[in-house]
Each structure stands twice: as structure tokens, then as C-alpha cells.
Amino acid sequence: MTLRTILIHPDPRLKKVAAPVAEVTDDLRRLADDMLETMYDAPGIGLAAPQLGLSHRLIVMDCAKKEEDTPRPLALFNPEVIWSSEDRNVYEEGCLSIPEQYADVERPAEVRVRWLTPEGKTEEEHFSGLWATCVQHEIDHLNGKLFIDYLKPLKRQLITRKMEKLKREMARA
Ligand code: NI
């Protein structure tokens, strides 16, 4: 497995709508493994292919982050929210493409999601709690949307300027 480089906001590749996966190939299964490895290494609880500059509708996640929890790596191809609760929930979100910035985001508290597994089978699951927030955040990435897009313009601009500065510093290092 290979660790991949995660793009930092702002980057036009993070704003693109990703292409559906027509067939889960060996290459895409390998990519999903690399993404999980990269996510655990970061460390993070979710990662979407556009964050590596790749236009595929593929996300990985594992929200079992407490030490006593059993790891549950998931790779979801073409994930789709097929039902959302009217109940809403606020979580302080972060993003591996926006390091060290966190903000409250309100989303449906529970969602039902359908996707293709790495084996090419259709699966459906009802997510709640952190899993629900995470899967919605990652599916947003496939539609070119970041969690800061939910914030007020001023707060979003402040974070974007911090990221531009961070990228300049990283380029110099
Ligand atoms: Ni993110």
C-alpha cells in the first residue's frame, strides 16, 4: 500500500463534481486500500478520492476511533444518500484538506446510504451519530463541497486565507 498526498484547500480539484465509478476494478480496489492507509496515517476518520485529486465517486471511512472500538474500515463506491432524517445534529467538523480548522456544521442526524462495495455488491446501511456526519461530509466532497461552504462567508474567507498562508509556507519548506 502507498500513502498518497492529500490536497490542501483551496484547490480547483476539490471543487469538481467527481465521476461515477462504472466498474470496481483492481486499480480502484487498490486505490481504496491506499486511501484507508492514508486516512489512518493522517490520522482521520474519512477521506474522499477528490482529496487526492482523483475524480472518482469513492470514499473511505472508519469512525470507530475510540481505542476500545473494533476498527471498521469501509470503502464506498458511488455512495448515495437515499433517506435523511428531519432531525438534525450539530458536530464540530474538520477536514484533512483543511488542517487544524474546526467549525460546527448542522446536518441531518441520520441517513440511509446505498453504495457499491469493493466486491461490486450493492449495500445499504442506516448511519447515525458521528458515522452519519462523516458519510455526509465525505459524499459532499464528491460534489465539490467542503464543510466550510456551510459557514458564514466571513468565517469561510478567514479559514481560506489561513490555508493559503499554510500552502505558501509548505511550498517554501
Ligand atoms: Ni473532508
Side-chain angles (χ1 to χ4, degrees), residues 51 95 137-138 141:
Q51 291 180 274
C95 181
H137 174 122
E138 299 312 327
H141 275 299

Side-chain angles (χ1 to χ4, degrees), residues 17-101:
V17 176
V21 171
E23 191 196 346
V24 184
T25 58
D26 284 345
D27 279 351
L28 286 171
R29 272 187 284 271
R30 261 193 297 274
L31 172 62
D33 286 343
D34 285 356
M35 284 171 61
L36 279 164
E37 190 79 357
T38 304
M39 176 191 84
Y40 286 126
D41 180 73
I45 58 170
L47 188 66
Q51 291 180 274
L52 308 177
L54 301 169
S55 185
H56 302 301
R57 297 190 81 80
L58 163 61
I59 64 175
V60 298
M61 54 192 250
D62 184 354
C63 300
K65 63 174 188 176
K66 287 194 224 109
E67 233 160 271
E68 67 269 21
D69 293 341
T70 312
R72 192 186 175 217
L74 280 182
L76 295 75
F77 294 87
N78 298 336
E80 259 185 283
V81 174
I82 55 172
W83 174 84
S84 315
S85 66
E86 273 174 43
D87 258 27
R88 296 175 74 86
N89 216 345
V90 176
Y91 260 102
E92 190 179 57
E93 296 190 21
C95 181
L96 294 175
S97 292
I98 310 174
E100 283 166 48
Q101 303 298 318

